[in-house]
Amino acid sequence: MSPRGRARAASPRGAIRGTAGAGVPGAGVVRADALARGGALPEPPPARTIVLWCPDWPVIAAARAAGSPPEHPFALVAKGLVFASSASARQQGVVRGLRVREAQARCPELVVEPYDDALDHRAFEPVIRAIEGAVPGVEVLRPGTVALRSRGPARYYGGERAAAATLAGIAADHGAPGVRAGVADTPFAAEQAARARPVRPGERVRIVPVGGSAAFLADLPLGVLGDPDLAMVLGRLGIATLGDFAALGDEQVRDRFGVAGAFLHRLAGGRDPREVAARAVPPELRVEASFEPPLDRADQVAFAFRRSADDFAARLRAAGLVATTIRVGIVDERDLLLERTWVHPRWFDAADVVDRVRWQLAGGVDPSGLEAPVVQVVLEPVAVDDASNHERGLWGTGPDERVHHALARVQGLVGHEGVVTPRIGGGRTLAERVVLVPWGDTPVGGERALATVRDRPWPGRLPGPPPATVLERPRPVDVVAAGGDTVDVDERGALTGVPERFRAEGERGGRFAPVTAWAGPWPLVVRWWEAGGRRLHRLQLVDDDGRAWYLVLADHRWWAEAVAT
């Protein structure tokens, strides 16, 4: 049998069709005789992509949060420059990259708000979830722009145009007005199709034919690549469009512009190597419990919420996560919300959650019970971590684990404020530098914010090293000169006499001790702009035992705040 005959026997229909291109216009048909002569299968057609784009999304999200009317000129600012502006602001010349003062000069009624990336993402999350409810496999390119493969939606909705229009409508119904859609062979071409000026008024969907991405992109300016430096260099070389850039050889571009330039060169030629990577849908970890009738005792609320706390812990385990920070919201029958964020030194289990609910309720308890009966408790994680990072060691966690359990047990008995740990804070006085935080909590802003406060230059702060012991309560001190006159500080900030002796309450039976050395005074003005502001003066003394005393003069009276041995 001839090679051609053998090939036809292997394929009764005489043709092999690529499964990836089945039913797609332009998909090639390879006959068996071509394979018999050593021919190669052509590349399967690219996986088509749908991109949904909401114009001016950062402005829309921020304007809603600020309560600004949609038609009012609005701009977002980052690093002193306009980051994004509304359509009404752009009509008056407020464009991206403009300085704030110049923007306000062009549009005096302009509303200016700082750009908040977190707000941008939070506001877009309901839109993403609505699209995922209709079609799985959504990739978020940025807030306001998502991509997904078109094959499944096109088959379900009866074509690419119908699928894109339906998904755009879903996004618009859930808070993203004016969404436009683009369909092309690559994500980059599909996004440019969505951003392109509509051919007809009111058109929301732009479809690039199969294999037509390069031709569609050819006339676009280099600025759409998002690399202004590359666009400037190419412009000097006489290259102004993506088509001109794509006409260059691959090796030339790679040798001249490196890997990043070669990647942008492929985008310009409609050869985007990326594929749509669907985001991992975050598990639903938020739990809530409603009480009917409302509960008027803290222990009843904590006991009733126990099942919801167990459910919360089970959801975390199923997702392979642990919660290190949670937010508890308590709603009473007056429709008032008592909300607080709790931090754990390790991670929260169900018992820890119930304790936090009870402690939070204790803040609003009087002798007769809660201020108002509770109708709902809402629990959601603020910070989660992979459970593998918190696994127990092969031989356990040793003393640290026992210390934690002991402190947590005592805290459960005496209350949240009953067990505290000291931390170093900021401030000018020694007392301000000691911060007592309940066990398991972090100061406002977290440890990073506290470290930033410590590192900031505090005007008037004494240089180190700090004294060894800061007294819990300042002690009154008498400082006298050689003639027995009390040492004070005059209006010019100088001592009225040379310190000769001093005595501190509770030291040496009230007898005076000689001063062997002294330094100061250092003035400190506290809240000078208020009526209750104070002027303090600080002084260091060394007695004959070698102990250094840190004194503060307030209202012409000396006080000992710390001592170093």
Side-chain angles (χ1 to χ4, degrees), residues 304-486:
F305 191 71
R306 177 70 194 212
R307 178 175 296 180
S308 298
D310 291 335
D311 183 29
F312 176 74
R315 294 185 187 185
L316 287 170
R317 286 195 300 270
L321 302 172
V322 294
T324 57
T325 306
I326 62 173
R327 182 182 295 111
V328 177
I330 299 175
V331 183
D332 60 25
E333 66 177 3
R334 299 171 300 178
D335 203 25
L336 295 179
L337 173 65
L338 174 63
E339 191 173 72
R340 180 169 179 178
T341 299
W342 298 89
V343 181
H344 200 282
R346 297 184 309 144
W347 46 270
F348 285 94
D349 58 17
D352 294 327
V353 171
V354 173
D355 282 341
R356 269 57 178 185
V357 172
R358 179 164 51 85
W359 293 341
Q360 187 164 327
L361 288 169
V365 172
D366 58 25
S368 61
L370 299 177
E371 293 183 357
V374 175
V375 298
Q376 188 181 50
V377 177
V378 180
L379 169 66
E380 58 182 348
V382 175
V384 296
D385 194 10
D386 196 297
S388 60
N389 297 331
H390 299 265
E391 292 292 343
R392 295 172 60 89
L394 182 61
W395 310 109
T397 54
D400 291 344
E401 186 75 12
R402 293 195 294 271
V403 168
H404 167 74
H405 280 301
L407 292 178
R409 176 61 178 167
V410 174
Q411 191 178 40
L413 295 175
V414 301
H416 180 237
E417 305 288 342
V419 181
V420 295
T421 55
R423 286 184 172 89
I424 299 177
R428 297 179 178 87
T429 66
L430 295 175
E432 291 175 344
R433 292 183 57 79
V434 179
V435 181
L436 297 179
V437 180
W439 168 256
D441 282 10
T442 58
V444 177
E447 291 290 353
R448 180 176 300 178
L450 184 58
T452 303
V453 169
R454 290 196 299 263
D455 296 338
R456 289 176 181 170
W458 285 90
R461 186 178 68 179
L462 291 178
T469 303
V470 178
L471 302 177
E472 183 177 358
R473 294 181 180 178
R475 300 180 189 175
V477 175
D478 296 320
V479 181
V480 298
D485 296 332
T486 300

Side-chain angles (χ1 to χ4, degrees), residues 75-84 96-98 100 112-116:
L76 296 176
V77 177
K79 298 181 180 179
L81 301 177
V82 174
F83 176 80
R96 183 185 177 97
L98 205 64
V100 177
V112 177
E113 292 287 341
Y115 174 64
D116 186 354

Side-chain angles (χ1 to χ4, degrees), residues 72-152:
H72 200 282
F74 193 92
L76 296 176
V77 177
K79 298 181 180 179
L81 301 177
V82 174
F83 176 80
S85 57
S86 63
S88 58
R90 289 194 297 270
Q91 292 176 358
Q92 301 187 46
V94 180
V95 296
R96 183 185 177 97
L98 205 64
R99 293 187 180 276
V100 177
R101 289 188 177 181
E102 186 175 353
Q104 292 174 332
R106 296 184 181 184
C107 181
E109 66 274 15
L110 183 69
V111 176
V112 177
E113 292 287 341
Y115 174 64
D116 186 354
D117 181 68
L119 171 65
D120 209 1
H121 283 80
R122 287 197 307 269
F124 196 61
E125 184 66 23
V127 181
I128 301 172
R129 291 182 178 271
I131 298 173
E132 286 176 336
V135 177
V138 176
E139 177 183 3
V140 182
L141 303 181
R142 69 190 64 84
T145 307
V146 299
L148 59 155
R149 296 189 179 186
S150 70
R151 183 178 180 183

Side-chain angles (χ1 to χ4, degrees), residues 279-295:
R279 75 164 188 162
V281 180
E284 181 57 51
L285 301 176
R286 182 177 184 270
V287 297
E288 59 182 53
S290 300
F291 311 118
E292 182 58 40
L295 303 179

Side-chain angles (χ1 to χ4, degrees), residues 167-233:
L167 296 176
I170 293 174
D173 293 340
H174 289 80
V179 171
R180 302 208 315 244
V183 185
D185 296 338
T186 65
F188 177 73
E191 182 176 355
Q192 299 310 315
R195 291 174 174 268
R197 186 183 301 275
V199 178
R200 294 182 299 273
E203 183 182 36
R204 294 195 303 170
V205 180
R206 181 76 172 270
I207 296 182
V208 178
V210 175
S213 295
F216 168 74
L217 296 171
D219 295 332
L220 297 182
L222 294 171
V224 300
L225 293 175
D227 191 332
D229 295 334
L230 177 64
M232 180 184 63
V233 173

